Amino acid sequence: MDHYFTIESQSQAEFKERGSRFIAFAFPVSHPDEFKKKLKEIKKEHAKATHHCFAYRIGVDGENFRVSDDGEPAGTAGKPILGQLGFKSLTNSAVIVVRYFGGTLLGIPGLINAYKTVAAYCLQLTPVVRKDVVITHSLAFDYTKMNEVMAIVKKSNCTVLHQDMKLFCKLKIGLPKTNYIKILQDFNEIAGLEINTVENIL
């Protein structure tokens, strides 16, 4: 897989069913710790909500995921929310739904429909973007090779992640997986350039 789909901005949507209010928040996320921080913020903001249910998917293949029903009957909240992320083939994305109980029980089908619907509404409000999977490399080279290196970086749509430009330069860049071998060959043709793989990232 050389690309993935995600969202880049936060959105919010609301759905009401027999007195209960369901408020969904969709947002990009790249690490579980980042998600936990956002969940903590929403729980603080909606401290009086009855439930704070969620789902997220992280990683190239979307296999790093987690769901929570937060006290709702098993399978009625987290899974329907996750299903909407899967329906749009989204990864590095999360949806949190807070529910304010309205006094009337909705039953299993009613809950599944409510969480599914509000998650779908929310994801419709934020654009889906396609991104390349990149393989991170560290480059080390003499300053005199700067123009050659940066020409390849620009031509190949590499992402500069960190740079330390002195007489001897160090550069950390992301090489798009779509054209990875060709880019690597171009860099290897520069005399004196040291290149090392760091990691695969999104």
Side-chain angles (χ1 to χ4, degrees), residues 7 9-15 21-27 38 42 45-46 94-98 100 117-126:
I7 56 177
S9 58
Q10 182 172 312
S11 61
Q12 181 177 332
E14 184 171 331
F15 177 74
R21 289 177 64 213
F22 297 84
I23 307 170
F25 303 87
F27 52 93
K38 186 68 175 178
I42 290 177
E45 183 182 348
H46 294 272
V95 177
I96 297 172
V97 179
V98 300
Y100 289 88
T117 300
V118 75
Y121 284 172
C122 197
L123 290 172
Q124 286 171 8
L125 297 175
T126 184

Coordinates of all heavy atoms in Angstrom, one line a residue, residues 7 9-15 21-27 38 42 45-46 94-98 100 117-126:
I7 N -8.5 12.4 7.2 CA -9.0 13.7 7.3 C -8.0 14.7 7.9 O -7.1 14.2 8.6 CB -10.3 13.7 8.1 CG1 -10.1 13.2 9.6 CG2 -11.4 12.9 7.5 CD1 -11.3 13.3 10.5
S9 N -9.0 18.0 9.1 CA -9.6 19.0 10.0 C -10.7 18.4 10.8 O -11.2 17.3 10.5 CB -10.2 20.1 9.1 OG -11.1 19.6 8.2
Q10 N -11.0 19.1 11.9 CA -12.0 18.6 12.8 C -13.4 19.0 12.4 O -13.6 20.1 11.8 CB -11.8 19.1 14.2 CG -12.8 18.6 15.3 CD -12.4 19.0 16.7 OE1 -11.2 18.8 17.1 NE2 -13.3 19.5 17.4
S11 N -14.4 18.1 12.6 CA -15.8 18.5 12.3 C -16.7 18.1 13.5 O -16.3 17.3 14.3 CB -16.2 17.8 11.0 OG -16.2 16.4 11.1
Q12 N -17.9 18.6 13.5 CA -18.8 18.3 14.6 C -20.2 18.2 14.0 O -20.6 19.0 13.1 CB -18.7 19.4 15.7 CG -19.6 19.2 16.9 CD -19.5 20.3 17.9 OE1 -18.4 20.9 18.0 NE2 -20.5 20.6 18.7
A13 N -21.0 17.2 14.5 CA -22.4 17.1 14.1 C -23.2 16.6 15.3 O -22.7 16.0 16.2 CB -22.4 16.1 12.9
E14 N -24.5 16.8 15.1 CA -25.4 16.5 16.2 C -26.6 15.7 15.7 O -27.1 16.0 14.5 CB -25.9 17.7 17.0 CG -26.8 17.4 18.2 CD -27.0 18.6 19.1 OE1 -26.2 19.5 19.1 OE2 -28.1 18.7 19.7
F15 N -27.1 14.8 16.4 CA -28.3 14.0 16.1 C -29.1 13.8 17.3 O -28.6 13.5 18.4 CB -27.8 12.6 15.5 CG -29.0 11.7 15.2 CD1 -29.7 11.9 14.0 CD2 -29.2 10.6 16.0 CE1 -30.8 11.0 13.7 CE2 -30.3 9.7 15.7 CZ -31.0 9.9 14.5
R21 N -29.5 13.5 23.0 CA -28.6 14.2 22.1 C -27.3 13.5 21.9 O -26.6 13.1 22.9 CB -28.3 15.6 22.7 CG -29.4 16.6 22.7 CD -29.0 17.9 23.3 NE -27.9 18.6 22.6 CZ -26.9 19.3 23.1 NH1 -26.9 19.4 24.5 NH2 -26.1 19.9 22.4
F22 N -26.9 13.3 20.6 CA -25.7 12.6 20.3 C -24.8 13.7 19.5 O -25.2 14.2 18.5 CB -25.9 11.4 19.4 CG -26.7 10.3 20.0 CD1 -28.1 10.4 20.1 CD2 -26.1 9.2 20.6 CE1 -28.9 9.4 20.6 CE2 -26.8 8.2 21.2 CZ -28.2 8.3 21.2
I23 N -23.7 14.0 20.1 CA -22.8 15.0 19.5 C -21.5 14.3 19.1 O -20.8 13.7 19.9 CB -22.5 16.1 20.4 CG1 -23.8 16.8 21.0 CG2 -21.7 17.2 19.7 CD1 -23.6 17.7 22.1
A24 N -21.2 14.3 17.8 CA -20.0 13.6 17.3 C -18.9 14.6 17.0 O -19.1 15.7 16.5 CB -20.3 12.8 16.1
F25 N -17.6 14.2 17.2 CA -16.5 15.0 16.9 C -15.5 14.1 16.1 O -15.1 13.0 16.6 CB -15.7 15.4 18.2 CG -16.6 16.2 19.1 CD1 -17.4 15.6 20.1 CD2 -16.6 17.6 19.0 CE1 -18.2 16.4 20.9 CE2 -17.4 18.4 19.9 CZ -18.2 17.7 20.8
A26 N -15.2 14.5 14.9 CA -14.3 13.7 14.0 C -13.0 14.6 13.9 O -13.1 15.8 13.8 CB -14.8 13.5 12.6
F27 N -11.8 13.9 14.0 CA -10.6 14.7 13.9 C -9.4 13.7 13.5 O -9.5 12.5 13.7 CB -10.3 15.3 15.3 CG -10.3 14.3 16.4 CD1 -9.1 13.7 16.9 CD2 -11.5 14.1 17.1 CE1 -9.2 12.8 17.9 CE2 -11.5 13.2 18.2 CZ -10.4 12.5 18.6
K38 N -7.1 14.2 23.3 CA -8.3 14.7 22.8 C -9.6 14.2 23.5 O -10.5 15.0 23.8 CB -8.4 14.4 21.3 CG -9.6 15.1 20.6 CD -9.4 16.6 20.5 CE -10.5 17.2 19.7 NZ -10.3 18.7 19.6
I42 N -12.5 16.4 25.5 CA -13.9 16.4 25.2 C -14.7 15.9 26.5 O -15.8 16.4 26.8 CB -14.2 15.4 24.0 CG1 -13.7 16.1 22.8 CG2 -15.7 15.1 23.9 CD1 -13.8 15.3 21.5
E45 N -15.0 18.9 28.6 CA -16.0 19.9 28.0 C -17.4 19.4 28.1 O -18.3 20.2 28.3 CB -15.6 20.1 26.5 CG -16.5 21.1 25.8 CD -16.2 21.2 24.3 OE1 -15.1 20.6 23.9 OE2 -16.9 21.8 23.5
H46 N -17.6 18.1 28.1 CA -18.9 17.5 28.2 C -19.0 16.6 29.4 O -19.4 15.4 29.3 CB -19.3 16.7 26.9 CG -19.4 17.6 25.7 ND1 -20.6 18.2 25.3 CD2 -18.5 18.0 24.8 CE1 -20.4 18.9 24.2 NE2 -19.1 18.8 23.9
A94 N -10.3 9.6 13.9 CA -11.0 9.2 15.1 C -12.4 9.9 15.1 O -12.5 11.1 14.6 CB -10.2 9.5 16.4
V95 N -13.3 9.3 15.8 CA -14.6 9.9 16.0 C -15.0 9.6 17.5 O -15.0 8.5 17.9 CB -15.7 9.4 15.1 CG1 -17.1 10.0 15.5 CG2 -15.4 9.7 13.6
I96 N -15.3 10.7 18.2 CA -15.9 10.6 19.6 C -17.3 11.1 19.6 O -17.6 12.1 19.0 CB -15.0 11.4 20.6 CG1 -13.6 10.9 20.7 CG2 -15.7 11.4 22.0 CD1 -12.7 11.8 21.5
V97 N -18.2 10.3 20.2 CA -19.6 10.7 20.3 C -20.0 10.8 21.7 O -19.9 9.8 22.5 CB -20.5 9.7 19.5 CG1 -22.0 10.1 19.7 CG2 -20.2 9.6 18.1
V98 N -20.5 11.9 22.1 CA -21.0 12.1 23.5 C -22.5 12.0 23.5 O -23.1 12.5 22.5 CB -20.5 13.4 24.2 CG1 -19.0 13.4 24.2 CG2 -21.0 14.6 23.4
Y100 N -26.1 12.7 25.6 CA -26.8 13.2 26.8 C -28.2 12.5 26.8 O -29.0 12.6 25.9 CB -27.1 14.7 26.6 CG -25.8 15.6 26.8 CD1 -25.0 15.8 25.8 CD2 -25.5 16.1 28.1 CE1 -23.8 16.6 25.9 CE2 -24.4 16.8 28.3 CZ -23.5 17.1 27.2 OH -22.4 17.9 27.4
T117 N -25.5 7.0 12.6 CA -25.9 8.2 11.9 C -25.1 9.4 12.2 O -24.7 10.2 11.3 CB -27.4 8.4 12.2 OG1 -28.2 7.3 11.8 CG2 -27.9 9.6 11.5
V118 N -24.9 9.7 13.5 CA -24.2 10.9 13.9 C -22.8 10.8 13.4 O -22.2 11.9 13.1 CB -24.3 11.2 15.4 CG1 -23.5 10.3 16.2 CG2 -24.0 12.7 15.7
A119 N -22.1 9.6 13.5 CA -20.8 9.5 13.0 C -20.7 9.8 11.5 O -19.8 10.5 11.0 CB -20.2 8.1 13.3
A120 N -21.7 9.3 10.8 CA -21.7 9.5 9.3 C -21.9 11.0 9.0 O -21.2 11.5 8.1 CB -22.9 8.7 8.7
Y121 N -22.8 11.6 9.7 CA -23.1 13.1 9.5 C -21.8 13.8 9.7 O -21.4 14.7 8.9 CB -24.1 13.6 10.5 CG -25.5 13.2 10.2 CD1 -26.5 13.5 11.1 CD2 -25.9 12.6 9.0 CE1 -27.9 13.2 10.9 CE2 -27.2 12.3 8.8 CZ -28.2 12.6 9.7 OH -29.5 12.3 9.4
C122 N -21.0 13.5 10.8 CA -19.8 14.2 11.2 C -18.8 14.1 10.1 O -18.1 15.0 9.7 CB -19.3 13.7 12.5 SG -18.2 14.8 13.3
L123 N -18.6 12.8 9.6 CA -17.5 12.6 8.6 C -17.9 13.2 7.2 O -17.0 13.4 6.4 CB -17.3 11.1 8.5 CG -16.6 10.4 9.7 CD1 -16.6 8.9 9.6 CD2 -15.2 10.9 9.9
Q124 N -19.2 13.4 7.0 CA -19.6 14.1 5.8 C -19.1 15.6 5.7 O -19.1 16.2 4.7 CB -21.1 14.0 5.6 CG -21.6 12.6 5.2 CD -23.1 12.5 5.2 OE1 -23.8 13.5 5.4 NE2 -23.6 11.3 5.1
L125 N -18.9 16.1 6.9 CA -18.6 17.5 7.0 C -17.1 17.9 6.9 O -16.7 19.1 6.9 CB -19.1 18.1 8.3 CG -20.6 18.0 8.5 CD1 -21.0 18.5 9.9 CD2 -21.3 18.9 7.5
T126 N -16.2 16.9 6.8 CA -14.8 17.1 6.7 C -14.3 16.4 5.5 O -14.6 15.3 5.2 CB -14.0 16.7 8.0 OG1 -12.7 17.0 7.9 CG2 -14.2 15.2 8.2

